[in-house]
């Protein structure tokens, strides 16, 4: 093959949107099954059926069941699936930049309340499964450390 021939890059906004929608369906299905069946009992094939995708799609999009749970936790904490850490989010930066300490504390409390409202069920899944799964225990520890870093 001629090395001087350059490949065109492929960029399809519609395809990217479809991939985001598929990932979101998978995350929502995983959350429903992890809550109803428990993390240990919920299988990737069951999540795939619930999401209307193949198990291979989940494996390509997330990898393992643990990675799927980790992605679910992080998207719930952040409020979306964008890979921007909490500490770099505009709403977090706005809170940090607030010069009035009372207002800053009020903003922090509101942020914490929104995050906890989104993550309570997921935190229970992780807490319960961490008792029997060493990988989940490590993930739980990592998430706790991440929460402390953000704070």
């Amino acid at each position: 093959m001629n090395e001087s021939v350059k490949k065109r890059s492929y960029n399809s906004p519609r395809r990217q949107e479809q991939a985001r929608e598929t990932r979101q369906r998978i995350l929502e299905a995983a959350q429903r099954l992890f809550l109803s069946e428990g993390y240990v009992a919920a299988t990737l094939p069951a999540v795939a059926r619930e999401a209307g995708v193949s198990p291979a799609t989940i494996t390509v999009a997330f990898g393992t069941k643990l990675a799927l749970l980790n992605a679910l936790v992080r998207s719930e904490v952040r409020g979306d699936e964008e890979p921007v850490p909490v500490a770099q989010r505009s709403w977090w930066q706005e809170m940090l930049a607030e010069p009035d300490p009372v207002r800053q504390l009020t903003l922090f409390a509101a942020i914490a309340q929104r995050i906890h409202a989104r993550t309570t069920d997921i935190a229970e899944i992780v807490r319960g499964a961490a008792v029997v799964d060493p990988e989940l225990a490590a993930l739980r520890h990592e998430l706790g450390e991440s929460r402390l870093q953000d704070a």
Side-chain angles (χ1 to χ4, degrees):
M1 180 161 84
N2 186 348
E3 303 233 357
S4 66
V5 175
K6 293 183 180 181
K7 285 188 172 185
R8 288 188 330 176
S9 63
Y10 176 77
N11 182 15
S12 169
R14 178 65 187 135
R15 177 66 190 110
Q16 291 170 350
E17 181 58 31
Q18 288 173 328
R20 273 192 293 279
E21 290 169 1
T22 298
R23 284 179 61 88
Q24 190 58 43
R25 275 199 334 270
I26 293 167
L27 289 170
E28 290 168 1
Q31 185 170 10
R32 284 191 301 274
L33 285 178
F34 291 163
L35 286 171
S36 66
E37 307 293 323
Y39 174 80
V40 174
T43 64
L44 286 184
V47 172
R49 278 191 304 278
E50 181 78 12
V53 299
S54 72
T57 299
I58 294 177
T59 302
V60 167
F62 296 98
T64 65
K65 185 166 77 167
L66 180 63
L68 174 58
L69 178 61
N70 190 12
L72 178 60
V73 169
R74 292 182 189 288
S75 74
E76 290 297 305
V77 167
R78 294 172 180 155
D80 59 45
E81 213 188 329
E82 295 301 315
V84 179
V86 168
Q88 294 175 11
R89 299 283 173 143
S90 61
W91 40 265
W92 191 263
Q93 290 298 313
E94 179 184 318
M95 180 269 303
L96 290 176
E98 175 58 52
D100 177 12
V102 173
R103 176 80 178 124
Q104 186 179 48
L105 187 56
T106 301
L107 290 171
F108 177 80
I111 290 169
Q113 188 279 328
R114 284 193 307 272
I115 290 172
H116 284 106
R118 289 192 304 260
T119 61
T120 300
D121 291 341
I122 301 302
E124 270 307 297
I125 292 167
V126 173
R127 186 193 61 74
V131 174
V132 296
D133 187 330
E135 285 184 313
L136 266 176
L139 174 62
R140 184 176 184 213
H141 177 75
E142 176 188 324
L143 292 169
E145 290 296 317
S146 178
R147 187 175 62 244
L148 287 174
Q149 269 187 330
D150 289 339

